[in-house]
Each structure stands twice: as C-alpha cells, then as structure tokens.
Amino acid sequence: MGALEEAHLAAAVAAACACEEEDDDLELLGGEAEPAAAAAADGMEPAVRALLVGLGEDERREGLRRTPKRVAKAFRDGTRGYRQKVKDIVQGALFPEVGVDKRTGSAGGTGGQVVVRDIELFSYCESCLLPFSIQCHVGYEPSGGRVVGLSKLSRVSDVFAKRLQNPQRLANEVCGALHASIQPAGVAVALQCWHIPLPENLECKTLQGWIRTSHSSRSGVFEGENSTFWSDFLALLKLRGIDMEVGNHSDSIPWCPLRSLEVLLSNRHCKKSSTNGMVSAVTSMLLSLGEDPLRKELLGTPQRYVQWLMKFRACNLDVKLNGFTLSNVSIYERPGGGTADHGAIRSELHLPFCAQCEHHLLPFYGVVHIGYFDNGSGEGIDRSHFQALVHFYGCKLQVQERMTRQIAEAVYSISHNGVMVVVEANHICMISRGVEKIRSNTATIAVLGQFLTNPSAKASFLQNVLDTAGSAV
C-alpha cells in the first residue's frame, strides 16, 4: 500500500471515529437533550437538507448523510443560552468575605474589585448566523461583604454568548445580569470580538485577518467619565497586555461583513428567486430555535446566511494550470522518455483559503504550502495559478484531508516528479461547538513521487515553511 493510500485509510478511520465520538457526546447542559430541544433540532434537519440541495450537493453521499443531524445539534448547542437562567447559576455561589476594615476598603469593605480576564467565548452573529470569537473580561466591585464564585462570572457570560447576538448587546446583557443577580457596587464588562471576513478577504491563518471590534458596558461605581473604578479595571487589563483603548474600530468598520451586501430586508419573498427555497429553509431554522424571524435584528439574516453558503456552491468547472486542464489529465500520467532531470525544489507557500466543513456547514480557513520538483523545463508555475487551484478545491463543501490530497494530485499531474502539500487550518466547528477546543489548529500533509523517497528534500521543504512563517502572519 502506497503512502497516499495509507493516508486515505487513516483519514477515513479518523473521520469515522470523530463522527462516533460526536454522537456519543452528551449535551453540555448535562445528560440527554431536553425533549423540546430535541424536537426543535429534528425540525431543523429537513431545512438543512434543503440547503444542501440548493448548494448542488447530493445529500445522500458519504460525508453529507449525517450533516443535517450534526448541523441541528451544533445550532442547538450554540443557542443553549436561551434555555438557561442566570439565577440557577449564581444561586448558592455568593460567599461572605468581610475583608479589610471598611474605612480603608472599598465598596463594602471587601478589599477592592475582582476581575476575571481572558474568558474565551463563541457566539452566533444574528446578522449572518456565523460564529464569532470573543475574549471577555468581567470585573465587579463587591458589596455587602459578599463575593461570587469566580467560575460563575464566565458561566453567566457564556449563557448570553450562547444566543444569537451582536457584541454590544452581549456586553450589556452580561453586565445587567451580573448586577441584578449578585448586587455588587458595580459591574464592568469588556469584549474583544472577531468576525470572520468574506472568504475572498481572508489573508492569513490567524485572527489577524478577521474584523475586530471592542465593546464595553458598565454599571454602578464604574459609570461616569471620571470613574476611578473604571480606570482601575482598564489598568488591570493592561497588566495582561489588553488595551481596550487601542484598535477599537467599532465605529468605523461594519461589524458583520455580510451586512454590506444587498439583501431584501424581509424574511418573506417578494419575487421569484433560485435561492428562495434556501431562504425559507433558514427561516424555518430560526423558528426551530425559538426565534422570531421578523425581529428587527434578524431581518435579512436568512438571505445573508444563504449568500455565505452560495460562495461554496458545488461546481464542475475545469481548472487550468500551466496550460493543462486538470480534469482531463491522469494524475499518474508520466511524460515520455526515461528518467527526467528533477532539478530544484520549487515552492509556493502561505496560499490563503477558506472552505466550508461539509460535516457542520461551518468555515475552516488557513494556508496551503506546495512544494514540487522542477520537471526539467526550468519553467515554474505562476503563484496565481496555484492560488486559483487552492480556491477551486477550497471554495466548496470540503474536509481538510480530502482537500490536501486533491491539491497534491492536481499539482502532480503537471509536475510528475514529486509533490508535497501541507495545509494548516483552523476549524470553526472545533472551537465553537461541543467541547470547544480553543486555539486548536489542524495540519495535514500529502506526499507524492520523489518526496516519498527523499527525506532530505522533505525536510528542506518543511524548513522553508518554518523559515517564512513569521512573514506571512
């Protein structure tokens, strides 16, 4: 069995194990899903099937057969905050802590404010239904000689994050709920949020390429322009390198990039369109989540979500690379003659891409590195052709393992001598649902031809990737 065949088998086994593991996961609320929530999820599955059909996919093919169930589960888990109550979290978690003398202490004599920093959260953007990343910082000034369990600050924040949200309302709701439930002298909430841009605007493999905004909300002693409590809160954030006063683009950059696209501000259809069925399906999904599709903030949301999905619609276009049409060239076809002069290793590194996970209909994004042996002609392949190739295989419903293999085989059909492809990607489905593997990153590799038998060439290519990593971020 060749190396690529072994890679195929390993990827298939890993995918099967991942699916089984996912089905065995209990809901984060604990135990089995609530009957009402499960029924709502079941109602979402036909809607997801309609979306797959609208994307030109065969819902019965391997990899998509269980996608409706997975998507329904992801949305149900991502909006579980609607089914949680703050009082159930905070109740029993207030503890007496008299602290220092009231004359020198502040706000009740407990010794000063408490700040929990770097709470990693994900929420669903109510404008487009795509997840966005949040770094949340919560502080409060104790009152009445009581403090709250620190974990409750992050759990309350998560309750409101697990709803369809926009950043400012999220900050306001967390602040208001904490103030009402623990009754402190004041609460401060600061959020740093990142929204994935349109696929064509992704330029790097980190959050640096995302749309960033900063938001805050405060109550009680933190209010007012000259509040020393607010100044102390910001100072404690700066100890972690967090400067809320720098890089705040909330006023100058639209939060959701899909809001810049023209959509009908109605979730009912005024004229015939090829995507009307898909829009109706997304509207049905909102209803299944218990939302009102006619709520002001949700007007146009189904259309925007469909517009995002249509960027990954299945197509049968040919990709031309260096004069060859890939769909018409056997990947194992060899040029005439005996041995060829392999020449030097050529590489194109840090080619950005954005794909859509076919298992959860969530984006994964990152960079592709391609190394290949010169076929002896002395003519390399232009970077723009490689970028077009990556776009072709990336802008569709995909899995990373398959995409890596497809790119390698396509380049090998031209190079013939040897190809090595490395894909590094962040998967939103890994960090916005289930066990939420924050900051996880997935790397895949495919090796063909001379790279299989030339360890030094393989090591040289990987070292080249490493040496140029800093310049691409």
Side-chain angles (χ1 to χ4, degrees):
M1 180 182 291
L4 192 55
E5 286 79 6
E6 292 178 354
H8 292 176
L9 178 60
V13 172
C17 293
C19 291
E20 292 175 2
E21 180 181 358
E22 176 187 24
D23 290 338
D24 290 339
D25 285 345
L26 292 177
E27 298 299 318
L28 293 186
L29 291 176
E32 297 295 328
E34 299 176 5
D42 292 340
M44 292 182 68
E45 292 182 29
V48 178
R49 292 192 186 95
L51 292 178
L52 293 175
V53 172
L55 290 172
E57 294 283 355
D58 178 6
E59 59 170 305
R60 297 166 296 179
R61 78 167 170 84
E62 192 64 35
L64 289 181
R65 286 184 300 171
R66 301 174 73 178
T67 292
K69 182 177 180 180
R70 296 187 190 102
V71 173
K73 183 178 179 181
F75 269 109
R76 186 175 72 243
D77 180 63
T79 57
R80 67 178 182 266
Y82 289 124
R83 305 185 296 278
Q84 294 176 309
K85 297 180 180 179
V86 172
K87 68 176 183 179
D88 294 336
I89 295 175
V90 176
Q91 192 172 27
L94 292 171
F95 307 100
E97 187 66 34
V98 176
V100 298
D101 191 308
K102 291 185 179 182
R103 290 174 296 177
T104 57
S106 58
T110 57
Q113 66 178 278
V114 179
V115 182
V116 176
R117 302 166 294 191
D118 300 327
I119 303 171
E120 300 279 1
L121 302 170
F122 262 80
S123 186
Y124 278 91
C125 172
E126 66 183 4
S127 294
C128 65
L129 299 186
L130 293 176
F132 63 94
S133 173
I134 307 158
Q135 196 170 45
C136 176
H137 319 283
V138 179
Y140 76 100
E141 193 75 25
S143 179
R146 299 187 308 171
V147 296
V148 67
L150 297 178
S151 67
K152 309 309 177 186
L153 300 178
S154 61
R155 289 187 61 190
V156 169
S157 301
D158 188 63
V159 165
F160 292 100
K162 291 299 182 288
R163 302 179 181 187
L164 302 185
Q165 279 288 10
N166 70 62
Q168 188 56 56
R169 188 172 72 246
L170 173 60
N172 293 342
E173 289 181 343
V174 172
C175 181
L178 287 173
H179 193 97
S181 59
I182 65 180
Q183 298 181 350
V187 174
V189 176
L191 304 180
Q192 296 166 288
C193 302
W194 291 266
H195 194 301
I196 191 168
L198 297 176
E200 56 268 28
N201 295 333
L202 269 175
E203 297 179 353
C204 60
K205 63 182 179 181
T206 69
L207 288 180
Q208 182 178 336
W210 289 36
I211 297 171
R212 174 186 171 182
T213 60
S214 300
H215 304 263
S216 63
S217 185
R218 37 185 167 157
S219 66
V221 296
F222 290 95
E223 294 181 295
E225 293 184 6
N226 299 320
S227 170
T228 58
F229 295 93
W230 177 250
S231 298
D232 291 345
F233 174 74
L234 295 178
L236 291 174
L237 295 186
K238 286 182 178 180
L239 293 180
R240 291 281 292 177
I242 304 161
D243 192 345
M244 294 297 296
E245 299 173 355
V246 174
N248 187 346
H249 304 296
S250 304
D251 297 330
S252 58
I253 297 179
W255 161 242
C256 176
L258 283 106
R259 273 200 168 274
S260 62
L261 302 178
E262 286 293 330
V263 299
L264 292 173
L265 290 181
S266 171
N267 293 340
R268 295 171 180 170
H269 313 300
C270 301
K271 61 181 181 179
K272 192 172 182 179
S273 169
S274 59
T275 60
N276 273 357
M278 298 176 70
V279 171
S280 296
V282 180
T283 302
S284 175
M285 292 167 63
L286 291 175
L287 289 169
S288 297
L289 293 174
E291 270 288 1
D292 177 9
L294 296 180
R295 176 164 66 87
K296 181 180 67 173
E297 293 82 4
L298 292 178
L299 290 179
T301 294
Q303 290 91 335
R304 295 186 193 98
Y305 185 57
V306 169
Q307 285 180 320
W308 171 270
L309 291 178
M310 290 299 287
K311 293 179 178 293
F312 305 92
R313 192 179 191 279
C315 64
N316 297 313
L317 297 176
D318 290 335
V319 176
K320 293 186 177 181
L321 191 66
N322 207 27
F324 289 87
T325 302
L326 295 177
S327 59
N328 297 328
V329 178
S330 169
I331 63 171
Y332 298 108
E333 180 183 344
R334 295 283 181 172
T339 60
D341 179 9
H342 294 150
I345 298 174
R346 296 181 180 271
S347 61
E348 288 295 344
L349 310 178
H350 310 290
L351 297 159
F353 78 92
C354 181
Q356 193 85 345
C357 171
E358 69 178 31
H359 295 157
H360 302 97
L361 297 188
L362 289 170
F364 67 97
Y365 64 97
V367 291
V368 177
H369 314 290
I370 301 173
Y372 64 100
F373 280 93
D374 191 339
N375 61 12
S377 66
E379 296 181 1
I381 302 172
D382 188 77
R383 181 179 176 87
S384 63
H385 293 314
F386 280 118
Q387 187 63 71
L389 178 72
V390 170
H391 179 79
F392 175 77
Y393 287 113
C395 272
K396 58 181 66 178
L397 299 190
Q398 265 289 14
V399 295
Q400 183 174 337
E401 299 89 340
R402 183 196 309 142
M403 181 178 124
T404 307
R405 169 180 57 83
Q406 289 174 334
I407 293 173
E409 291 174 344
V411 178
Y412 190 66
S413 69
I414 305 304
S415 169
H416 299 293
N417 296 317
V419 172
M420 186 169 175
V421 173
V422 174
V423 177
E424 300 179 89
N426 295 313
H427 290 249
I428 302 298
C429 62
M430 283 283 288
I431 54 183
S432 68
R433 48 171 291 282
V435 291
E436 300 183 4
K437 297 294 185 181
I438 304 295
R439 303 187 191 283
S440 64
N441 184 278
T442 302
T444 49
I445 186 171
V447 183
L448 288 172
Q450 189 173 343
F451 276 104
L452 286 170
T453 57
N454 192 333
S456 63
K458 186 185 298 184
S460 175
F461 171 70
L462 292 174
Q463 184 62 48
N464 194 15
V465 174
L466 179 62
D467 291 342
T468 59
S471 61
V473 176

